[in-house]
Amino acid sequence: LSAHQPLVVCIDDIHWGDLDSASVLRELLRSPEAPRLLLLLTYRDNAEVPLLTSLEAHAEEFADVRTVRLRLGPLHPDDARSLARQLCPTQAAQDERIAGIAFESSGSPFLLCELARHFAASASPTAAPAPSAMRLTDVVSQRVQQLAGPARRVLEIVSVAGRPLERSFALRVAGLGERGRTVVSRLAEACLVRSAIRSEEVLIEPYHDRISE
């Protein structure tokens, strides 16, 4: 592909990656036959990243690779308000509500989208009106209260753990066993937990730190 057109490869959340994944990337990037491409790797700045550590330990293999690190901070308040206005229903997007969503998101695009989605649902004709001051804790609490008992137990377990848990262990603690996999899938669809595979084990954790809080 890279011989015929520009190629961009993006791998999100590499803090979930393992040493086997690092070996694959080393083979891909090693000179002299490395393909011409832009490789984007994203990870949390407060997480251990064994995949990246492994690549850095073999930096001599990538003599022809140019590396640039970019730290992505929160959205600027003006950008957050602009995004909130795009995501909210036009007829209900008052300046006060837009400013509240932007402020409560703390510049996180994910949290802003979740708040805007909640507001859009509350703005429908059949929904109860949402309060003018929308707090993230209230939105998360409302969504958690709407969960069935098994899903709420799983979310509570992964939230108090403080680290990624093996899915099988979390389901066992919740008293569900492997039949609870569909529960994890529904939580993932609701953007309350997320999962990844590391060393052939499926790990789960809260989708965002503010959810576990």
Side-chain angles (χ1 to χ4, degrees):
L1 289 176
S2 63
H4 302 285
Q5 61 187 31
L7 179 62
V8 178
V9 177
C10 180
I11 306 177
D12 198 12
D13 291 338
I14 65 167
H15 50 272
W16 288 102
D18 55 20
L19 297 181
D20 289 338
S21 301
S23 296
V24 172
L25 287 178
R26 285 174 56 197
E27 286 296 324
L28 176 68
L29 300 175
R30 183 178 290 132
S31 301
E33 298 182 356
R36 184 176 59 181
L37 59 80
L38 173 62
L39 176 64
L40 301 177
L41 306 176
T42 73
Y43 60 94
R44 298 184 187 181
D45 58 5
N46 59 347
E48 294 184 7
V49 192
L51 185 152
L52 187 59
T53 302
S54 176
L55 292 179
E56 292 174 336
H58 298 85
E60 70 281 355
E61 299 178 2
F62 317 125
D64 299 329
V65 175
R66 181 187 174 208
T67 302
V68 178
R69 287 181 185 250
L70 298 175
R71 187 180 185 279
L72 299 181
L75 292 173
H76 186 278
D78 291 342
D79 295 329
R81 285 190 292 270
S82 177
L83 179 58
R85 193 174 300 280
Q86 294 179 46
L87 295 173
C88 288
T90 304
Q91 69 275 17
Q94 304 97 335
D95 289 342
E96 179 184 2
R97 179 61 56 79
I98 293 300
I101 290 175
F103 175 80
E104 192 66 17
S105 72
S106 300
S108 165
F110 166 71
L111 295 178
L112 191 150
C113 290
E114 290 300 298
L115 287 164
R117 184 172 71 169
H118 179 84
F119 172 56
S122 67
S124 67
T126 59
S132 57
M134 182 181 295
R135 298 193 308 164
L136 180 64
T137 52
D138 295 334
V139 172
V140 173
S141 177
Q142 181 177 333
R143 292 179 64 181
V144 170
Q145 292 302 317
Q146 293 172 348
L147 295 173
R152 195 180 311 162
R153 286 201 303 276
V154 173
L155 182 59
E156 290 171 350
I157 289 167
V158 298
S159 295
V160 301
R163 60 181 179 83
L165 291 179
E166 292 182 8
R167 182 182 61 189
S168 57
F169 175 76
L171 292 177
R172 190 163 62 250
V173 173
L176 300 175
E178 291 304 308
R179 61 187 173 86
R181 289 187 180 187
T182 56
V183 172
V184 175
S185 296
R186 287 194 291 270
L187 288 172
E189 291 170 359
C191 291
L192 292 172
V193 303
R194 57 191 193 175
S195 62
I197 298 176
R198 179 182 291 176
S199 299
E200 299 184 357
E201 292 286 350
V202 178
L203 304 179
I204 58 176
E205 67 173 351
Y207 202 96
H208 193 278
D209 292 341
R210 295 287 297 274
I211 292 175
S212 60
E213 293 169 1

